[in-house]
Structure formats: structure tokens, C-alpha cells
Amino acid sequence: PVENSLDTGKKNETMEDPADRFNRSLDQYLEFQVAAVASGLNFKDSKRETLKKKLLDSIETLEMGNECRYGIGLNSKRRQEFMDIIQDLISYNPVQIPASSPLSNGMWKLIYTTAEDRFTLTPDWMTNIGINIIGDVEQKIDVDKRQYTTMIKYKPFCSGNLQSEWDESEFPNILKVRFIRYQFKIFNDGLNTEDKELDVEDEDNIGSLEILYLDKNLRIVKSIKNHET
């Protein structure tokens, strides 16, 4: 994990049950304040959904304007605007024990991150002139097996998978993570494939994830390198 990085993900729409399609974020929005009144939600629920919509709207604005994909390369002022919304939303986290919650199960798609270098393979000479090649990032989570796989695809050039497992800690929202296997291939057809087991005793392959917010289609986590904030 990258020290003190923050990732926001939503459930991958391609994996959704059709019955849930109407409720998904980004492409088809609910008017959360109106829905809250109609369904009889209390103030806390209403406030949470309002903040959630504000965050997702802001992220969609980045994508639509091609400003900074996932927030990578965002200036400090805009970054702080996102962090202010996220901090407000975290205080309304609806799940008391997110580390073992089945809500984490399934396929998630990255939509925003503060990790500037985790999802790009761009050479320095390109980043120096403002060009970034950023992959599509998804994460498949199995809570029962305590495993997840992070998949990064740089279509059509290459793809990489990082398999991880975790143990629960004494805290209900923190996972002790170990990276166990890495796979990489060129042109997605097996050319120059790299497949290796990782040394789980190596400090570079050990860390922690703090789950700051979790509901059925939004997940916010903080990566803590080597258990240090």
C-alpha cells in the first residue's frame, strides 16, 4: 500500500444485478434529498445521502471534463475540496464493523484516489510535459476468504493483477494486508507474462487498510504503510 493514500471505489456496474441497476451511482442518480423525505429516512441518513451525492457529482465532473482521471494530478486546492467532502461523509459511515461486512463482497471500480503514482506506468519524460497513461482499476473482494485482487488494465497494451489476503485486527475497521502474488502480461495474450509469488515477510509486501466508509455501492479506504499513519 502507498502510505497515507486514500481510495474511493464504487461497485463495478458490469457486475451488478439488473434489479439494482436503477440505484447505481454516477450514471443514474437518485435525488437523494427528495428520496430521503419520501422514504422516511431520519436526518442522519438524509445527510449521508446528500454528502454522498455531492462527492459522486464532483468525481463525475472530473471525468466529464477530462480534468484529472481518478484525481491523479489534481492541484492542492481541488484536492482539499474533495477531502472536505470525504471527511464529512466518513462521519456518517453506516457500517459499524466494516472489516468483516459482506457489503465489501464483489467487484469494485476505482473512481478517485490520492495515490499519485500507483496507477500509472507513464515514463518520467512524459509526466514532465503533463502526459499520464493511467489504467482502468478494479478490485475483486471475497470477505469470507479474506482475499482481494487488484486488477489494472492499460488497454490494449498490458495488464497486471496483485493478489492480497488479510487478517482482521483488534480494530473493527482495519485490515492487516499481505501481498501474495503478482501477475503481469503484455497485450493481454500472455506475451512476456510474469507470474511470481511474493515474500510475505518482506515489509514492502505488508501493510494495513483502514475502511473509512462502506455502503452497498461506495467504499472509501485509507492505505497505511507498515501500520503507520
Side-chain angles (χ1 to χ4, degrees), residues 9-117:
K10 70 180 185 71
K11 278 288 176 66
N12 189 337
E13 294 157 3
T14 62
M15 302 295 292
E16 287 182 315
D17 185 329
D20 293 330
R21 188 173 299 277
F22 177 77
N23 293 318
R24 73 188 185 204
S25 303
L26 295 185
D27 293 325
Q28 296 176 348
Y29 287 116
L30 292 173
E31 292 296 333
F32 287 117
Q33 290 176 304
V34 175
V37 174
S39 63
L41 294 178
N42 59 35
F43 172 79
K44 185 174 182 179
D45 292 335
S46 176
K47 181 67 173 178
R48 178 176 62 247
E49 296 300 332
T50 300
L51 288 168
K52 181 177 171 181
K53 183 178 186 301
K54 183 178 181 181
L55 175 61
L56 295 174
D57 281 347
S58 299
I59 292 172
E60 186 188 39
T61 300
L62 290 180
E63 294 289 329
M64 292 178 61
N66 294 319
E67 184 177 352
C68 295
R69 190 177 188 193
Y70 305 145
I72 294 175
L74 206 60
N75 65 51
S76 58
K77 180 179 179 181
R78 291 283 283 131
R79 177 80 72 195
Q80 188 58 50
E81 291 174 1
F82 277 90
M83 291 305 301
D84 289 344
I85 301 173
I86 288 171
Q87 289 297 331
D88 287 342
L89 180 58
I90 287 171
S91 66
Y92 292 94
N93 181 22
V95 179
Q96 293 185 348
I97 309 177
S100 57
S101 172
L103 287 177
S104 287
N105 277 323
M107 188 77 76
W108 295 82
K109 179 180 179 182
L110 181 74
I111 57 175
Y112 180 81
T113 182
T114 61
E116 290 291 322
D117 58 354

Side-chain angles (χ1 to χ4, degrees), residues 13-229:
E13 294 157 3
T14 62
M15 302 295 292
E16 287 182 315
D17 185 329
D20 293 330
R21 188 173 299 277
F22 177 77
N23 293 318
R24 73 188 185 204
S25 303
L26 295 185
D27 293 325
Q28 296 176 348
Y29 287 116
L30 292 173
E31 292 296 333
F32 287 117
Q33 290 176 304
V34 175
V37 174
S39 63
L41 294 178
N42 59 35
F43 172 79
K44 185 174 182 179
D45 292 335
S46 176
K47 181 67 173 178
R48 178 176 62 247
E49 296 300 332
T50 300
L51 288 168
K52 181 177 171 181
K53 183 178 186 301
K54 183 178 181 181
L55 175 61
L56 295 174
D57 281 347
S58 299
I59 292 172
E60 186 188 39
T61 300
L62 290 180
E63 294 289 329
M64 292 178 61
N66 294 319
E67 184 177 352
C68 295
R69 190 177 188 193
Y70 305 145
I72 294 175
L74 206 60
N75 65 51
S76 58
K77 180 179 179 181
R78 291 283 283 131
R79 177 80 72 195
Q80 188 58 50
E81 291 174 1
F82 277 90
M83 291 305 301
D84 289 344
I85 301 173
I86 288 171
Q87 289 297 331
D88 287 342
L89 180 58
I90 287 171
S91 66
Y92 292 94
N93 181 22
V95 179
Q96 293 185 348
I97 309 177
S100 57
S101 172
L103 287 177
S104 287
N105 277 323
M107 188 77 76
W108 295 82
K109 179 180 179 182
L110 181 74
I111 57 175
Y112 180 81
T113 182
T114 61
E116 290 291 322
D117 58 354
R118 194 188 305 184
F119 307 113
T120 175
L121 291 178
T122 312
D124 289 342
W125 68 268
M126 295 180 70
T127 57
N128 289 339
I129 59 175
I131 299 175
N132 281 300
I133 303 173
I134 302 170
D136 297 319
V137 182
E138 294 178 323
Q139 194 171 81
K140 185 176 182 180
I141 301 175
D142 188 323
V143 173
D144 291 335
K145 294 181 178 179
R146 297 183 181 179
Q147 294 178 345
Y148 68 88
T149 301
T150 302
M151 297 159 282
I152 308 176
K153 296 180 180 179
Y154 304 88
K155 299 177 181 178
F157 306 108
C158 57
S159 63
N161 292 341
L162 180 62
Q163 297 179 16
S164 310
E165 60 185 16
W166 77 80
D167 293 319
E168 294 179 7
S169 71
E170 61 272 28
F171 301 102
N173 62 331
I174 292 181
L175 310 177
K176 297 178 180 179
V177 176
R178 297 179 299 277
F179 299 146
I180 59 176
R181 187 177 184 184
Y182 173 73
Q183 297 172 307
F184 181 84
K185 54 186 178 181
I186 304 295
F187 298 118
N188 300 322
D189 61 1
L191 267 177
N192 297 330
T193 296
E194 182 178 4
D195 188 345
K196 64 179 180 180
E197 301 288 335
L198 301 177
D199 181 4
V200 296
E201 300 300 325
D202 188 331
E203 287 190 356
D204 288 338
N205 298 324
I206 302 172
S208 296
L209 284 179
E210 181 180 4
I211 305 175
L212 301 175
Y213 181 91
L214 178 65
D215 65 26
K216 68 178 182 178
N217 57 14
L218 184 67
R219 182 172 182 258
I220 302 174
V221 300
K222 181 179 180 181
S223 175
I224 309 170
K225 181 64 175 177
N226 297 328
H227 307 282
E228 296 176 0
T229 302

